[in-house]
């Protein structure tokens, strides 16, 4: 079982301090919420957790069976949905996921891609170019990309972005199912999202004294 630990994470961009004193421990079967006003650093913190940017100080650990994973391999263990994740506009929905699986160096399992596309309601559009997709359809496809490699951790920045009520129900089902064995981190300002979290980091309330 995967465990994520953050110890005294601090982030500054130049002279602007975004946050400090971030400490948490996240075990399987738990959902961690990250909240705070616009510009409080939610996306910055999830990017640090995903190893996309580095913290100014502090430590972040992915621990599997008591062993701290090397930073270079943590992307095998999480799936990431975010507004800044880019899909390939010039390829179809199916091809996007096939491409991502090739980049990840894992077998392109056509059946599995189809099952996931079905799950998010995109199976009828699987061969259409992503450039022709609506914003909510793109958001649904990002969930397929995030789930395809069976990650232990799901990191969701603005999980319901552009989704309609049916889309939101689908992602809540995905989150609840994922929680049975894995963990979830949600960066959000939506009260309904916050209610499903087992613990919350409120960046507006964290002491920023150091
Ligand atoms: N690459 C960067 N260089 C400089 N400053 C940055 C950079 N990325 C983010 N920031 C700053 O960090 C702060 C936090 O931004 P961030 O995107 O993490 O906020 P957020 O909580 O996700 O906001 P929102 O609710 O609008 O999504 C902002 O002041 C932003 O300008
Ligand atoms: Mg953000």
């Amino acid at each position: 079982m995967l465990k994520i630990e953050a110890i005294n994470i601090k982030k500054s961009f130049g002279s602007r301090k975004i946050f400090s004193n971030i400490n948490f421990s996240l075990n399987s079967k738990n959902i961690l919420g990250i909240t705070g006003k616009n510009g409080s650093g939610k996306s910055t913190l999830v990017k640090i957790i995903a190893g996309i940017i580095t913290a100014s100080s502090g430590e972040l650990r992915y621990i599997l069976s008591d062993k701290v994973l090397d930073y270079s391999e943590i992307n095998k263990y999480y799936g990431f949905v975010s507004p800044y994740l880019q899909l390939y506009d010039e390829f179809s929905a199916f091809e996007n996921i096939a491409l991502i699986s090739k980049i990840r160096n894992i077998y392109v399992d056509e059946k599995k891609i189809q099952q996931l596309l079905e799950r998010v309601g995109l199976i009828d559009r699987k061969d259409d170019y992503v450039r022709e997709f609506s914003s909510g359809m793109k958001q649904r496809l990002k969930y397929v990309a995030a789930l395809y490699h069976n990650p232990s951790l799901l990191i969701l920045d603005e999980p319901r972005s552009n989704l309609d009520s049916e889309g939101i129900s689908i992602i809540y089902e995905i989150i609840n199912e994922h929680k049975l064995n894995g963990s979830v981190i949600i960066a959000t300002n939506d009260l309904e999202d916050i209610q499903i979290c087992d613990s919350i980091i409120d960046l507006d309330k964290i002491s920023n004294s150091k």
Side-chain angles (χ1 to χ4, degrees), residues 66-197:
D66 292 332
K67 200 176 154 261
V68 179
L69 295 174
D70 191 88
Y71 236 53
S72 63
E73 55 176 352
I74 63 173
N75 63 6
K76 295 184 193 134
Y77 295 90
Y78 68 75
F80 199 2
V81 174
S82 75
Y84 33 88
L85 173 80
Q86 293 295 320
L87 297 164
Y88 302 95
D89 276 342
E90 67 275 39
F91 290 98
S92 72
F94 183 92
E95 287 166 342
N96 263 266
I97 307 306
L99 263 171
I100 290 167
S101 75
K102 282 179 188 160
I103 292 166
R104 287 191 175 278
N105 213 6
I106 50 179
Y107 170 69
V108 179
D109 184 341
E110 291 192 13
K111 224 182 198 153
K112 188 169 174 193
I113 297 176
Q114 293 193 10
Q115 279 166 355
L116 285 167
L117 288 170
E118 177 101 50
R119 176 110 205 243
V120 301
L122 287 178
I123 194 67
D124 293 343
R125 305 296 298 267
K126 78 179 177 59
D127 296 321
D128 290 347
Y129 287 120
V130 164
R131 66 165 178 259
E132 295 166 359
F133 274 24
S134 72
S135 51
M137 288 163 67
K138 285 184 189 168
Q139 179 72 354
R140 289 174 183 225
L141 187 57
K142 288 178 184 181
Y143 278 85
V144 178
L147 292 166
Y148 179 75
H149 57 293
N150 293 327
S152 304
L153 169 65
L154 264 186
I155 305 175
L156 310 175
D157 192 354
E158 299 180 17
R160 57 175 66 214
S161 197
N162 298 309
L163 293 177
D164 57 18
S165 55
E166 183 208 58
I168 292 167
S169 304
I170 292 170
I171 65 142
Y172 265 60
E173 269 172 37
I174 288 172
I175 291 169
N176 284 324
E177 196 175 296
H178 191 82
K179 195 193 160 177
L180 297 174
N181 287 306
S183 50
V184 186
I185 295 177
I186 302 178
T188 185
N189 271 316
D190 187 279
L191 290 177
E192 204 187 345
D193 293 349
I194 288 167
Q195 273 167 9
I196 63 164
C197 296

Side-chain angles (χ1 to χ4, degrees), residues 38-39 41-44 46 83-84 157-158 187:
N38 293 148
K42 300 178 298 298
S43 297
T44 301
V46 294
Y84 33 88
D157 192 354
E158 299 180 17

